[in-house]
Every structure is written in C-alpha cells, then in structure tokens.
Amino acid sequence: MWFSYLSHRRACRDKQRERAERIASLKPIYHEPLTSQDKEILSRSVSSLVAAVQTSSLSPPDILVAYSKKALQAHAQTNCLTEVMIASAENWASTANRSGPLAGVPVSLKDLVGVKGWDSSMGYSALVGKPMAADGALVRLLRDAGAVPFVKTNVPMTMLSLESTNDVFGSTDNPHKKGYTSGGSSAGEAALLALGAARLAIGTDVAGSVRAPAHFSGVYSIKSSMYRFLKQGSASSMPGQEGVPATHNLETFWRAVFQMKPWNYDYSVLRIPWRDVKLPEDRPIRWGVLWDDGVVKPSPACARALTTVTAILEKNGHEVVTLVPSPYEGLQIASQLLLADGGKTASKNHRAFESNDAGMTSAFRGLRLPYFVVKLYAWYYRYIRRDPIYAGLIDTHYEKTVQEFYALIAQREDYRSRWFKVWRDAEVEGRQGDEGVDFILTVPNSLPAVPHGGMRHGWKACGYTFLFNLLDYSAGVMPITHVDATADALPRTFRPRNAIERNYYRMYDASAMEGLPIGVQIVGRRLEEERVLEGMKLIERLLREAGADYIGLPL
C-alpha cells in the first residue's frame, strides 16, 4: 500500500512536470498576445474556416497558432488541459487534408480519446506513461477530414461525476467564475469552448457528461444515441457526443463526420447518413415539458430559463404540454445499472490514497457497506425520516448478482416502452388519444454550476440528464441566460422535499452565482440527432428575433 502511494505521487509529479515543460518549450509565438489576425481567425465559424483553407486564403498552421494561443490562455485561467499536443500538431497542420470537410480546423479532445503516442490517463495515476498504441477511429476520421487535434482536456477520475478533479491534473475551474466547476466529465472541453479556445470539442456522455458541462459553462452540446457515433480505439467504451459553441458549428461538424462515412472507420456505427430534417409547418409543434424530476426541483434560476423558452414558444404559436411519466423511476433503474458491479470497473485503476471526486468517494463507500447495513439505512430514511425518495435510492445501492442485473435490463426495457407512449399517444396532463409530442424540453440540471466539491451531494441530482441516457434518446443543451441575484433568489417559503434536495440546495446562492450561465435541454427520440439540432436552431432563432439571444464570454 505504501509503495502504491509513492508510485501515485511520483506519477502525478512527473505528469504535471511534463505538461508544464511541453507548454514552456513551445515556440515563442505561442506565448505572445493575440494579434488582430488571431482574433479574426478566432471569430470565424467552422464553415468559414474550412472555406478559407480550401480556397488557400488561410493556412492550417496559422489557424493552429491562433487557437493554441487561446487554449494556453484558457488553461492558465481554468486548468483545462491535460495533453498539450501543439508541437506535434504543427506537423499535422502542415500536412492536413486541405480539401476535407474539416480542412485545417483545430479540434480539442476529451482526455480519454485515443491518440497514438499520447496518454489517455483519465486522471488515474496508474495510467500515466502508458501512451495509446494507435489512433482511435474518431481521430483517424478527423485527420482524414482535414481536422487538426491539438490538445486533450481534463476529466474526473471514473468519468462518473459532474465535476472534473483528479490528483494527476487537478481541478478545472468554471470559465465564468473561479471556484465553481465547469461540469463533468467533459469539463475541460466546455471550458475551452466557452473561452473561444476551440470551435469543435469531442466529449462523451454516460449520465450528462457533455450536457451538464454545457449548462454549467454556457456552450452548446449534443448527445447522440448509441451506435450513431464512433467509439472504437478510445480509453472508454462510450464516446459519441460533442459540444461546440454555436448550433451552426454543431451542424457543420455533424455533417462533416457523416460525409466521411464513419461506419467505414468503426464497425459499431450504424449506417445512417446525415438526414436533412424539416420541422412541421402545417400544425403547431408540440413541446412536452418535464418541469420537475420528483427528486430535486429546478432552482429559480434554472426554472426561469425553462419558462423563458416555453413562453417564447407559445408566443410564436407552438404548443406546450406537461409530461406525466415518472423520471424518479428512471433514476432508480439507471443508477443501479451504472454501478451494478459495485463500482469495481471504475475503481480498478484507483491506487491507495489516490483522491477521488467527493461524490464518487461517497458512492463507492456506500457500495462497500454490508447488505444489512444498506437495508437498515434505507429503513431509517423511509420510516424515521419519512423520506421515501432518498430511501428508494439507498435501498438498491449494492452490487448486483447476474440475475438481478438481467432483471434490471428487463425493467429498463419496460420503462422505455412506457416512455414510447410520450411520442405516440402522449402521456401528458389533460390529454388523451393520438396527440404525441415532437420534443421534450427540460432543464439540464436543477442548479447552475456549483462550487468545487459540490458533487459530494450533487451526484445524486443528475436525473434530468441521466434519464435520457437510460432511454437512449438524442439530447442537446443550449445556453439561455445567466443567473440574476435578484430575480433568482430562493423564496423564503422553500422547503426541501427530501435529503437529496436539501443537501443540493445548500449550495444554491443566487448572489454568489450571479453571472453563471443557465441552459435548457431539448430531447428527441432515439437516433434523431438531426431533428434535435433543428429544435435547438428554432429556439435560438426565436430568442434572437425577440432580442433575448444568449451572450457568451468575449474573445
């Protein structure tokens, strides 16, 4: 155990020194202030950059310099970078495919994405100094498309938290407010995007890992259904989502990826080309709203963002209805499936005395409790504290047998079939018959970004995103507004309904959180990424026409 601890400290020290040396050894130009040309490059959309490279009015090396400068500035502000690949990217930029659909565009990657010769340690010290043997399918496609991977970004160890901190690389700050998280697990990607240090960033999402960072950091993101996006060759089995700072960049990226026929790079990708989708014009679009997941009520700030969107939709002739199905049941099923092995897989590379995220420390500690203690604890909350919500989650928080796992799969499929009715004959308040919804609209999280350490309790409050992983729906997040100290103050009449809500709301302080971004989540059916994107574009347009469009951080 003592040897393991010493190895851990040595690996952390060596990795941090390596990162610092890579930054310090870059050519002087990367450490210079942004020039007017750099700023002009950074202000361009992805499609504009591609067109400029294809017509030779811009060169990939010049674009790389601008984005690398900005990425180093973002890192100094937020501690978002893990692998600084800029020196190698110079060669990749000079040899980039200048006729490809992503010609010359720098792309940042979540730390787990496999790049030949570079670590994908994911914050585990045991994986430091073990570079990937080959490029993953996604990186091969990106390079063939002309893109230039140039940095990798920070994540939480285990990839199971909405906050990114680990002993190897440290914590990543929110780009809007120091001391607050930028989310997780794709925190570094969100920070780069929010600060304009990347136009395209690749993340993953198992319970909200691109959507929560987008909400916390004020960027756009989309989570695909399984098997729509590439996953082979990375250090995790769930790549498939990405976040970008605006919907037009999001659409450009997706179109470019599918132009490259990703099923020729990764056997698991479904052979579904990108489809042009038009929303209904002969009838009102029906938006089913999930106002409350039954566990943690949206804070005044997040509720205001949601009502802002529903109001603008109704004003423009759209129909807004309230959904009926229980999200709480989904949280119960999803949380059991994710940690059915007792957390053994996620913690197998964890060394003695290696720090973990506060939430996962609590979760894994609970999984190690004897079965009778778990049941006794659940009984206490159910009958003594009169808290059936928290008791229902405690009661099932233990390692499952194979038979129990199979039963959970059956429960999941039954639950999915019941949610299917939302799209068909619509389980919505006051409606019956064939009146399904076109989209689901809800908050990405009940709170804005929380202070560092907030996931000690916040990991139990991820139901608004986790639900749509369980259902395997396509889902996007877009920024709407910012926290206002006056408008978003918590009413004195507020009373928490359960222990999860009580502990999470302890971190809600509209005055301290003022200025933090707030988003909404737009959800479609399985494999409807194109349709979700159209829904996001519609909301973005209506807000812009009303003079209420979101204003992000300046370059």
Side-chain angles (χ1 to χ4, degrees):
M1 182 176 291
W2 182 245
F3 176 76
S4 176
Y5 172 72
L6 292 176
S7 298
H8 165 67
R9 297 309 307 163
R10 185 182 307 111
C12 293
R13 183 181 64 249
D14 291 348
K15 194 64 181 177
Q16 290 167 17
R17 182 187 298 120
E18 177 186 77
R19 180 177 60 176
E21 289 174 350
R22 283 174 175 163
I23 292 173
S25 64
L26 289 171
K27 295 175 181 176
I29 191 172
Y30 293 106
H31 300 285
E32 295 174 0
L34 293 172
T35 65
S36 57
Q37 181 186 7
D38 294 331
K39 292 177 181 179
E40 194 276 331
I41 289 172
L42 292 170
S43 69
R44 287 176 175 252
S45 66
V46 172
S47 57
S48 175
L49 289 173
V50 171
V53 171
Q54 291 176 340
T55 57
S56 299
S57 59
L58 274 180
S59 70
D62 287 341
I63 298 173
L64 175 64
V65 167
Y67 274 96
S68 296
K69 284 183 179 181
K70 191 64 178 175
L72 294 179
Q73 292 176 5
H75 176 65
Q77 179 178 338
T78 65
N79 187 44
C80 57
L81 303 183
T82 56
E83 302 294 329
V84 181
M85 304 185 292
I86 296 169
S88 295
E90 289 180 325
N91 180 59
W92 301 337
S94 64
T95 59
N97 175 11
R98 300 193 179 203
S99 61
L102 292 174
V105 179
V107 178
S108 66
L109 306 170
K110 190 173 181 176
D111 191 67
L112 58 80
V113 177
V115 180
K116 183 179 180 180
W118 296 84
D119 285 356
S120 288
S121 67
M122 301 174 288
Y124 291 98
S125 67
L127 299 182
V128 167
K130 297 181 179 179
M132 302 296 284
D135 286 336
L138 174 60
V139 172
R140 287 189 285 109
L141 181 147
L142 290 173
R143 284 184 171 153
D144 287 349
V148 182
F150 74 121
V151 291
K152 297 176 73 174
T153 59
N154 203 22
V155 298
M157 189 174 67
T158 73
M159 301 296 198
L160 298 178
S161 177
L162 300 187
E163 177 178 4
S164 291
T165 183
N166 57 74
D167 287 349
V168 176
F169 298 110
S171 297
T172 297
D173 268 319
N174 190 291
H176 296 260
K177 193 177 287 284
K178 203 165 186 66
Y180 285 74
T181 179
S182 61
S185 57
S186 306
E189 297 297 272
L192 274 185
L193 289 167
L195 290 167
R199 282 287 177 182
L200 299 175
I202 312 298
T204 63
D205 192 313
V206 71
S209 293
V210 297
R211 288 164 291 153
H215 168 60
F216 289 168
S217 300
V219 299
Y220 291 73
S221 72
I222 190 165
K223 177 200 82 69
S224 72
S225 295
M226 290 294 289
Y227 310 120
R228 191 79 203 273
F229 206 82
L230 305 90
K231 68 177 184 178
Q232 295 301 310
S234 292
S236 173
S237 63
M238 297 185 202
Q241 296 70 237
E242 80 288 337
V244 295
T247 52
H248 57 272
N249 289 324
L250 193 58
E251 183 174 15
T252 300
F253 176 76
W254 275 87
R255 286 184 178 278
V257 167
F258 283 92
Q259 183 179 330
M260 297 300 295
K261 300 179 179 179
W263 46 86
N264 289 335
Y265 291 81
D266 185 337
Y267 74 89
S268 69
V269 176
L270 294 171
R271 197 181 183 91
I272 304 175
W274 185 257
R275 301 158 293 190
D276 289 318
V277 171
K278 287 189 176 181
L279 299 181
E281 297 179 352
D282 58 343
R283 63 169 176 81
I285 296 174
R286 186 173 294 119
W287 301 78
V289 182
L290 180 62
W291 295 102
D292 187 343
D293 71 352
V295 181
V296 183
K297 184 180 180 68
S299 62
C302 296
R304 180 170 61 85
L306 186 56
T307 55
T308 295
V309 173
T310 56
I312 200 78
L313 289 169
E314 289 183 307
K315 183 179 179 180
N316 285 272
H318 297 268
E319 188 174 357
V320 175
V321 296
T322 298
L323 297 181
V324 171
S326 167
Y328 173 66
E329 183 182 354
L331 180 60
Q332 285 181 303
I333 297 169
S335 59
Q336 291 182 80
L337 285 170
L338 187 64
L339 295 173
D341 68 341
K344 292 177 180 176
T345 301
S347 58
K348 67 180 180 181
N349 290 309
H350 186 242
R351 282 172 159 164
F353 302 109
E354 185 169 13
S355 300
N356 200 345
D357 167 80
M360 289 302 98
T361 297
S362 172
F364 291 161
R365 184 183 298 123
L367 288 167
R368 291 193 292 268
L369 292 174
Y371 181 77
F372 81 91
V373 173
V374 172
K375 292 298 180 180
L376 184 62
Y377 194 38
W379 180 90
Y380 167 75
Y381 266 93
R382 180 172 283 113
Y383 297 108
I384 305 300
R385 300 295 296 271
R386 303 294 182 183
D387 186 350
I389 295 296
Y390 193 29
L393 294 173
I394 295 171
D395 199 38
T396 56
H397 192 65
Y398 60 89
E399 183 177 348
K400 304 298 185 291
T401 65
V402 174
Q403 291 90 339
E404 287 172 324
F405 182 74
Y406 286 166
L408 282 170
I409 296 296
Q411 289 180 43
R412 182 195 67 189
E413 295 308 296
D414 176 69
Y415 187 69
R416 285 177 171 179
S417 71
R418 283 181 277 140
W419 266 87
F420 183 64
K421 295 178 182 179
V422 170
W423 306 104
R424 304 285 297 193
D425 50 7
E427 288 193 18
V428 300
E429 274 188 7
R431 296 190 171 273
Q432 296 178 348
D434 188 18
E435 295 183 338
V437 299
D438 297 292
F439 294 99
I440 295 171
L441 191 64
T442 190
V443 298
N445 197 271
S446 48
L447 265 61
V450 298
H452 288 305
M455 284 305 122
R456 178 183 178 189
H457 301 294
W459 69 277
K460 306 164 190 169
C462 61
Y464 292 102
T465 50
F466 206 1
L467 171 65
F468 303 114
N469 293 91
L470 179 74
L471 297 171
D472 197 27
Y473 289 168
S474 308
V477 164
M478 59 186 295
I480 302 298
T481 186
H482 300 88
V483 178
D484 182 285
T486 303
D488 300 326
L490 191 65
R492 293 180 180 273
T493 56
F494 173 77
R495 296 293 181 273
R497 300 168 294 181
N498 56 71
I500 299 172
E501 192 170 65
R502 180 174 61 253
N503 288 327
Y504 203 33
Y505 261 82
R506 285 173 179 167
M507 290 174 286
Y508 184 72
D509 182 338
S511 294
M513 292 175 164
E514 184 165 32
L516 285 171
I518 321 162
V520 297
Q521 185 175 196
I522 297 91
V523 184
R525 303 189 197 195
R526 289 187 67 245
L527 303 168
E528 285 195 347
E529 291 76 22
E530 300 95 332
R531 190 177 178 86
V532 168
L533 182 56
E534 289 302 312
M536 295 168 71
K537 288 163 63 179
L538 171 64
I539 293 172
E540 184 181 45
R541 177 175 61 80
L542 294 178
L543 290 171
R544 183 173 60 250
E545 290 173 353
D549 47 332
Y550 177 79
I551 300 175
L553 293 169
L555 283 177

mmCIF file with all atom_site columns, all heavy atoms in Angstrom, residues 324-341:
data_model
loop_
_atom_site.group_PDB
_atom_site.id
_atom_site.type_symbol
_atom_site.label_atom_id
_atom_site.label_alt_id
_atom_site.label_comp_id
_atom_site.label_asym_id
_atom_site.label_entity_id
_atom_site.label_seq_id
_atom_site.pdbx_PDB_ins_code
_atom_site.Cartn_x
_atom_site.Cartn_y
_atom_site.Cartn_z
_atom_site.occupancy
_atom_site.B_iso_or_equiv
_atom_site.pdbx_formal_charge
_atom_site.auth_seq_id
_atom_site.auth_comp_id
_atom_site.auth_asym_id
_atom_site.auth_atom_id
_atom_site.pdbx_PDB_model_num
ATOM 1   N N   . VAL A 1 324 ? -46.197 13.420 -18.007 1.00 0.00 ? 324 VAL A N   1
ATOM 2   C CA  . VAL A 1 324 ? -46.660 12.675 -16.840 1.00 0.00 ? 324 VAL A CA  1
ATOM 3   C C   . VAL A 1 324 ? -45.674 11.618 -16.329 1.00 0.00 ? 324 VAL A C   1
ATOM 4   O O   . VAL A 1 324 ? -45.524 11.440 -15.129 1.00 0.00 ? 324 VAL A O   1
ATOM 5   C CB  . VAL A 1 324 ? -48.024 12.006 -17.139 1.00 0.00 ? 324 VAL A CB  1
ATOM 6   C CG1 . VAL A 1 324 ? -48.427 11.057 -16.027 1.00 0.00 ? 324 VAL A CG1 1
ATOM 7   C CG2 . VAL A 1 324 ? -49.094 13.069 -17.340 1.00 0.00 ? 324 VAL A CG2 1
ATOM 8   N N   . PRO A 1 325 ? -44.979 10.851 -17.194 1.00 0.00 ? 325 PRO A N   1
ATOM 9   C CA  . PRO A 1 325 ? -44.172 9.715  -16.707 1.00 0.00 ? 325 PRO A CA  1
ATOM 10  C C   . PRO A 1 325 ? -43.209 10.088 -15.587 1.00 0.00 ? 325 PRO A C   1
ATOM 11  O O   . PRO A 1 325 ? -42.736 11.219 -15.506 1.00 0.00 ? 325 PRO A O   1
ATOM 12  C CB  . PRO A 1 325 ? -43.408 9.276  -17.962 1.00 0.00 ? 325 PRO A CB  1
ATOM 13  C CG  . PRO A 1 325 ? -44.271 9.701  -19.089 1.00 0.00 ? 325 PRO A CG  1
ATOM 14  C CD  . PRO A 1 325 ? -44.898 11.000 -18.650 1.00 0.00 ? 325 PRO A CD  1
ATOM 15  N N   . SER A 1 326 ? -42.884 9.113  -14.722 1.00 0.00 ? 326 SER A N   1
ATOM 16  C CA  . SER A 1 326 ? -42.048 9.358  -13.546 1.00 0.00 ? 326 SER A CA  1
ATOM 17  C C   . SER A 1 326 ? -40.562 9.290  -13.866 1.00 0.00 ? 326 SER A C   1
ATOM 18  O O   . SER A 1 326 ? -40.032 8.209  -14.129 1.00 0.00 ? 326 SER A O   1
ATOM 19  C CB  . SER A 1 326 ? -42.365 8.326  -12.458 1.00 0.00 ? 326 SER A CB  1
ATOM 20  O OG  . SER A 1 326 ? -41.387 8.357  -11.445 1.00 0.00 ? 326 SER A OG  1
ATOM 21  N N   . PRO A 1 327 ? -39.843 10.420 -13.844 1.00 0.00 ? 327 PRO A N   1
ATOM 22  C CA  . PRO A 1 327 ? -38.397 10.379 -14.034 1.00 0.00 ? 327 PRO A CA  1
ATOM 23  C C   . PRO A 1 327 ? -37.688 9.694  -12.865 1.00 0.00 ? 327 PRO A C   1
ATOM 24  O O   . PRO A 1 327 ? -36.594 9.143  -13.031 1.00 0.00 ? 327 PRO A O   1
ATOM 25  C CB  . PRO A 1 327 ? -38.002 11.854 -14.118 1.00 0.00 ? 327 PRO A CB  1
ATOM 26  C CG  . PRO A 1 327 ? -39.272 12.580 -14.386 1.00 0.00 ? 327 PRO A CG  1
ATOM 27  C CD  . PRO A 1 327 ? -40.340 11.781 -13.728 1.00 0.00 ? 327 PRO A CD  1
ATOM 28  N N   . TYR A 1 328 ? -38.279 9.730  -11.685 1.00 0.00 ? 328 TYR A N   1
ATOM 29  C CA  . TYR A 1 328 ? -37.651 9.125  -10.500 1.00 0.00 ? 328 TYR A CA  1
ATOM 30  C C   . TYR A 1 328 ? -37.429 7.631  -10.704 1.00 0.00 ? 328 TYR A C   1
ATOM 31  O O   . TYR A 1 328 ? -36.376 7.093  -10.351 1.00 0.00 ? 328 TYR A O   1
ATOM 32  C CB  . TYR A 1 328 ? -38.513 9.368  -9.260  1.00 0.00 ? 328 TYR A CB  1
ATOM 33  C CG  . TYR A 1 328 ? -38.023 8.646  -8.023  1.00 0.00 ? 328 TYR A CG  1
ATOM 34  C CD1 . TYR A 1 328 ? -36.802 8.980  -7.439  1.00 0.00 ? 328 TYR A CD1 1
ATOM 35  C CD2 . TYR A 1 328 ? -38.765 7.614  -7.453  1.00 0.00 ? 328 TYR A CD2 1
ATOM 36  C CE1 . TYR A 1 328 ? -36.346 8.314  -6.319  1.00 0.00 ? 328 TYR A CE1 1
ATOM 37  C CE2 . TYR A 1 328 ? -38.315 6.947  -6.326  1.00 0.00 ? 328 TYR A CE2 1
ATOM 38  C CZ  . TYR A 1 328 ? -37.109 7.296  -5.762  1.00 0.00 ? 328 TYR A CZ  1
ATOM 39  O OH  . TYR A 1 328 ? -36.650 6.628  -4.649  1.00 0.00 ? 328 TYR A OH  1
ATOM 40  N N   . GLU A 1 329 ? -38.396 6.961  -11.280 1.00 0.00 ? 329 GLU A N   1
ATOM 41  C CA  . GLU A 1 329 ? -38.231 5.533  -11.549 1.00 0.00 ? 329 GLU A CA  1
ATOM 42  C C   . GLU A 1 329 ? -37.047 5.300  -12.483 1.00 0.00 ? 329 GLU A C   1
ATOM 43  O O   . GLU A 1 329 ? -36.280 4.352  -12.319 1.00 0.00 ? 329 GLU A O   1
ATOM 44  C CB  . GLU A 1 329 ? -39.504 4.958  -12.165 1.00 0.00 ? 329 GLU A CB  1
ATOM 45  C CG  . GLU A 1 329 ? -39.434 3.461  -12.407 1.00 0.00 ? 329 GLU A CG  1
ATOM 46  C CD  . GLU A 1 329 ? -40.689 2.915  -13.072 1.00 0.00 ? 329 GLU A CD  1
ATOM 47  O OE1 . GLU A 1 329 ? -41.672 3.675  -13.247 1.00 0.00 ? 329 GLU A OE1 1
ATOM 48  O OE2 . GLU A 1 329 ? -40.684 1.718  -13.440 1.00 0.00 ? 329 GLU A OE2 1
ATOM 49  N N   . GLY A 1 330 ? -36.869 6.174  -13.453 1.00 0.00 ? 330 GLY A N   1
ATOM 50  C CA  . GLY A 1 330 ? -35.735 6.064  -14.358 1.00 0.00 ? 330 GLY A CA  1
ATOM 51  C C   . GLY A 1 330 ? -34.410 6.232  -13.637 1.00 0.00 ? 330 GLY A C   1
ATOM 52  O O   . GLY A 1 330 ? -33.441 5.526  -13.913 1.00 0.00 ? 330 GLY A O   1
ATOM 53  N N   . LEU A 1 331 ? -34.358 7.185  -12.687 1.00 0.00 ? 331 LEU A N   1
ATOM 54  C CA  . LEU A 1 331 ? -33.136 7.377  -11.907 1.00 0.00 ? 331 LEU A CA  1
ATOM 55  C C   . LEU A 1 331 ? -32.811 6.138  -11.094 1.00 0.00 ? 331 LEU A C   1
ATOM 56  O O   . LEU A 1 331 ? -31.637 5.747  -10.982 1.00 0.00 ? 331 LEU A O   1
ATOM 57  C CB  . LEU A 1 331 ? -33.295 8.590  -10.996 1.00 0.00 ? 331 LEU A CB  1
ATOM 58  C CG  . LEU A 1 331 ? -32.100 8.933  -10.096 1.00 0.00 ? 331 LEU A CG  1
ATOM 59  C CD1 . LEU A 1 331 ? -30.858 9.233  -10.926 1.00 0.00 ? 331 LEU A CD1 1
ATOM 60  C CD2 . LEU A 1 331 ? -32.434 10.118 -9.179  1.00 0.00 ? 331 LEU A CD2 1
ATOM 61  N N   . GLN A 1 332 ? -33.817 5.511  -10.521 1.00 0.00 ? 332 GLN A N   1
ATOM 62  C CA  . GLN A 1 332 ? -33.604 4.284  -9.759  1.00 0.00 ? 332 GLN A CA  1
ATOM 63  C C   . GLN A 1 332 ? -32.987 3.189  -10.626 1.00 0.00 ? 332 GLN A C   1
ATOM 64  O O   . GLN A 1 332 ? -32.023 2.530  -10.238 1.00 0.00 ? 332 GLN A O   1
ATOM 65  C CB  . GLN A 1 332 ? -34.924 3.787  -9.178  1.00 0.00 ? 332 GLN A CB  1
ATOM 66  C CG  . GLN A 1 332 ? -35.441 4.575  -7.985  1.00 0.00 ? 332 GLN A CG  1
ATOM 67  C CD  . GLN A 1 332 ? -36.737 3.993  -7.462  1.00 0.00 ? 332 GLN A CD  1
ATOM 68  O OE1 . GLN A 1 332 ? -37.722 3.860  -8.182  1.00 0.00 ? 332 GLN A OE1 1
ATOM 69  N NE2 . GLN A 1 332 ? -36.743 3.610  -6.193  1.00 0.00 ? 332 GLN A NE2 1
ATOM 70  N N   . ILE A 1 333 ? -33.553 3.006  -11.817 1.00 0.00 ? 333 ILE A N   1
ATOM 71  C CA  . ILE A 1 333 ? -33.062 1.948  -12.717 1.00 0.00 ? 333 ILE A CA  1
ATOM 72  C C   . ILE A 1 333 ? -31.661 2.285  -13.226 1.00 0.00 ? 333 ILE A C   1
ATOM 73  O O   . ILE A 1 333 ? -30.750 1.445  -13.206 1.00 0.00 ? 333 ILE A O   1
ATOM 74  C CB  . ILE A 1 333 ? -34.034 1.755  -13.894 1.00 0.00 ? 333 ILE A CB  1
ATOM 75  C CG1 . ILE A 1 333 ? -35.396 1.285  -13.405 1.00 0.00 ? 333 ILE A CG1 1
ATOM 76  C CG2 . ILE A 1 333 ? -33.461 0.745  -14.896 1.00 0.00 ? 333 ILE A CG2 1
ATOM 77  C CD1 . ILE A 1 333 ? -36.485 1.327  -14.465 1.00 0.00 ? 333 ILE A CD1 1
ATOM 78  N N   . ALA A 1 334 ? -31.476 3.509  -13.694 1.00 0.00 ? 334 ALA A N   1
ATOM 79  C CA  . ALA A 1 334 ? -30.201 3.904  -14.296 1.00 0.00 ? 334 ALA A CA  1
ATOM 80  C C   . ALA A 1 334 ? -29.054 3.839  -13.298 1.00 0.00 ? 334 ALA A C   1
ATOM 81  O O   . ALA A 1 334 ? -27.949 3.372  -13.628 1.00 0.00 ? 334 ALA A O   1
ATOM 82  C CB  . ALA A 1 334 ? -30.318 5.310  -14.872 1.00 0.00 ? 334 ALA A CB  1
ATOM 83  N N   . SER A 1 335 ? -29.287 4.306  -12.070 1.00 0.00 ? 335 SER A N   1
ATOM 84  C CA  . SER A 1 335 ? -28.209 4.307  -11.074 1.00 0.00 ? 335 SER A CA  1
ATOM 85  C C   . SER A 1 335 ? -27.786 2.888  -10.717 1.00 0.00 ? 335 SER A C   1
ATOM 86  O O   . SER A 1 335 ? -26.603 2.633  -10.462 1.00 0.00 ? 335 SER A O   1
ATOM 87  C CB  . SER A 1 335 ? -28.651 5.061  -9.819  1.00 0.00 ? 335 SER A CB  1
ATOM 88  O OG  . SER A 1 335 ? -29.809 4.478  -9.248  1.00 0.00 ? 335 SER A OG  1
ATOM 89  N N   . GLN A 1 336 ? -28.727 1.968  -10.717 1.00 0.00 ? 336 GLN A N   1
ATOM 90  C CA  . GLN A 1 336 ? -28.373 0.575  -10.427 1.00 0.00 ? 336 GLN A CA  1
ATOM 91  C C   . GLN A 1 336 ? -27.591 -0.051 -11.572 1.00 0.00 ? 336 GLN A C   1
ATOM 92  O O   . GLN A 1 336 ? -26.612 -0.777 -11.352 1.00 0.00 ? 336 GLN A O   1
ATOM 93  C CB  . GLN A 1 336 ? -29.644 -0.240 -10.180 1.00 0.00 ? 336 GLN A CB  1
ATOM 94  C CG  . GLN A 1 336 ? -30.366 0.110  -8.895  1.00 0.00 ? 336 GLN A CG  1
ATOM 95  C CD  . GLN A 1 336 ? -31.575 -0.770 -8.697  1.00 0.00 ? 336 GLN A CD  1
ATOM 96  O OE1 . GLN A 1 336 ? -31.474 -1.922 -8.256  1.00 0.00 ? 336 GLN A OE1 1
ATOM 97  N NE2 . GLN A 1 336 ? -32.745 -0.235 -9.022  1.00 0.00 ? 336 GLN A NE2 1
ATOM 98  N N   . LEU A 1 337 ? -28.005 0.222  -12.813 1.00 0.00 ? 337 LEU A N   1
ATOM 99  C CA  . LEU A 1 337 ? -27.307 -0.341 -13.969 1.00 0.00 ? 337 LEU A CA  1
ATOM 100 C C   . LEU A 1 337 ? -25.879 0.182  -14.065 1.00 0.00 ? 337 LEU A C   1
ATOM 101 O O   . LEU A 1 337 ? -24.944 -0.575 -14.362 1.00 0.00 ? 337 LEU A O   1
ATOM 102 C CB  . LEU A 1 337 ? -28.069 -0.002 -15.251 1.00 0.00 ? 337 LEU A CB  1
ATOM 103 C CG  . LEU A 1 337 ? -29.348 -0.794 -15.512 1.00 0.00 ? 337 LEU A CG  1
ATOM 104 C CD1 . LEU A 1 337 ? -30.125 -0.190 -16.680 1.00 0.00 ? 337 LEU A CD1 1
ATOM 105 C CD2 . LEU A 1 337 ? -29.022 -2.263 -15.807 1.00 0.00 ? 337 LEU A CD2 1
ATOM 106 N N   . LEU A 1 338 ? -25.688 1.472  -13.805 1.00 0.00 ? 338 LEU A N   1
ATOM 107 C CA  . LEU A 1 338 ? -24.368 2.075  -13.952 1.00 0.00 ? 338 LEU A CA  1
ATOM 108 C C   . LEU A 1 338 ? -23.354 1.493  -12.983 1.00 0.00 ? 338 LEU A C   1
ATOM 109 O O   . LEU A 1 338 ? -22.188 1.293  -13.332 1.00 0.00 ? 338 LEU A O   1
ATOM 110 C CB  . LEU A 1 338 ? -24.470 3.593  -13.751 1.00 0.00 ? 338 LEU A CB  1
ATOM 111 C CG  . LEU A 1 338 ? -23.200 4.392  -14.026 1.00 0.00 ? 338 LEU A CG  1
ATOM 112 C CD1 . LEU A 1 338 ? -22.801 4.281  -15.491 1.00 0.00 ? 338 LEU A CD1 1
ATOM 113 C CD2 . LEU A 1 338 ? -23.403 5.847  -13.647 1.00 0.00 ? 338 LEU A CD2 1
ATOM 114 N N   . LEU A 1 339 ? -23.802 1.185  -11.759 1.00 0.00 ? 339 LEU A N   1
ATOM 115 C CA  . LEU A 1 339 ? -22.891 0.665  -10.730 1.00 0.00 ? 339 LEU A CA  1
ATOM 116 C C   . LEU A 1 339 ? -23.280 -0.748 -10.313 1.00 0.00 ? 339 LEU A C   1
ATOM 117 O O   . LEU A 1 339 ? -23.109 -1.136 -9.162  1.00 0.00 ? 339 LEU A O   1
ATOM 118 C CB  . LEU A 1 339 ? -22.889 1.603  -9.524  1.00 0.00 ? 339 LEU A CB  1
ATOM 119 C CG  . LEU A 1 339 ? -22.327 3.007  -9.777  1.00 0.00 ? 339 LEU A CG  1
ATOM 120 C CD1 . LEU A 1 339 ? -22.540 3.904  -8.576  1.00 0.00 ? 339 LEU A CD1 1
ATOM 121 C CD2 . LEU A 1 339 ? -20.846 2.938  -10.144 1.00 0.00 ? 339 LEU A CD2 1
ATOM 122 N N   . ALA A 1 340 ? -23.781 -1.511 -11.268 1.00 0.00 ? 340 ALA A N   1
ATOM 123 C CA  . ALA A 1 340 ? -24.223 -2.870 -10.963 1.00 0.00 ? 340 ALA A CA  1
ATOM 124 C C   . ALA A 1 340 ? -23.080 -3.751 -10.466 1.00 0.00 ? 340 ALA A C   1
ATOM 125 O O   . ALA A 1 340 ? -23.301 -4.711 -9.717  1.00 0.00 ? 340 ALA A O   1
ATOM 126 C CB  . ALA A 1 340 ? -24.876 -3.502 -12.192 1.00 0.00 ? 340 ALA A CB  1
ATOM 127 N N   . ASP A 1 341 ? -21.857 -3.442 -10.886 1.00 0.00 ? 341 ASP A N   1
ATOM 128 C CA  . ASP A 1 341 ? -20.692 -4.245 -10.475 1.00 0.00 ? 341 ASP A CA  1
ATOM 129 C C   . ASP A 1 341 ? -20.109 -3.768 -9.150  1.00 0.00 ? 341 ASP A C   1
ATOM 130 O O   . ASP A 1 341 ? -19.001 -4.172 -8.771  1.00 0.00 ? 341 ASP A O   1
ATOM 131 C CB  . ASP A 1 341 ? -19.624 -4.214 -11.557 1.00 0.00 ? 341 ASP A CB  1
ATOM 132 C CG  . ASP A 1 341 ? -18.983 -2.838 -11.714 1.00 0.00 ? 341 ASP A CG  1
ATOM 133 O OD1 . ASP A 1 341 ? -19.591 -1.842 -11.256 1.00 0.00 ? 341 ASP A OD1 1
ATOM 134 O OD2 . ASP A 1 341 ? -17.880 -2.750 -12.285 1.00 0.00 ? 341 ASP A OD2 1
#
